[in-house]
Amino acid sequence: MPIGAKLSRNIHSGGIVWTPEARAFYIREFADASIRTRTSFAAIDVPFHAESGNCGRNSGRLGAGLNAQMGQWLNFRVDYDYEVYEHTSASWFGTTLGVRW
């Protein structure tokens, strides 16, 4: 369940509406941090254990984006997000082009 804020503002310039955006969220994950299982096969009498990795249950996500609305028919957006977990991190970069007719 993310808790955070997103701030944006429209700037009109030369027929284009620019919308810069900043995002910051704290994400609490309520699932198990790690799973351990015990299994064995019928032909083998020795059971074995397998344990999943512990990537962390909580994370913080920071992001920034820029949207450009050109008239009523063309929209372009660029986004970057960076998420930090307890033991790892991830980042995303994305672009969107929208045309309306």
Side-chain angles (χ1 to χ4, degrees):
M1 176 164 64
I3 298 170
K6 179 169 50 171
L7 303 170
S8 64
R9 180 175 183 180
N10 291 339
I11 301 168
H12 300 271
S13 174
I16 300 174
V17 179
W18 299 92
T19 308
E21 180 178 280
R23 302 176 289 274
F25 290 95
Y26 168 77
I27 302 165
R28 171 72 176 152
E29 193 170 308
F30 292 102
D32 292 332
S34 174
I35 301 295
R36 184 178 175 135
T37 186
R38 180 181 173 176
T39 188
S40 63
F41 297 102
I44 302 171
D45 291 332
V46 179
F48 63 93
H49 300 278
E51 189 167 340
S52 67
N54 184 356
C55 295
R57 297 179 61 162
N58 303 314
S59 65
R61 180 180 288 183
L62 301 173
L66 179 63
N67 189 67
Q69 179 72 41
M70 295 159 260
Q72 295 294 320
W73 59 276
L74 186 60
N75 185 59
F76 180 73
R77 182 170 182 87
V78 177
D79 284 299
Y80 177 76
D81 286 287
Y82 183 72
E83 190 164 1
V84 179
Y85 298 91
E86 292 173 25
H87 305 290
T88 188
S89 64
S91 60
W92 297 272
F93 178 77
T95 60
T96 304
L97 176 64
V99 180
R100 191 183 294 178
W101 65 89

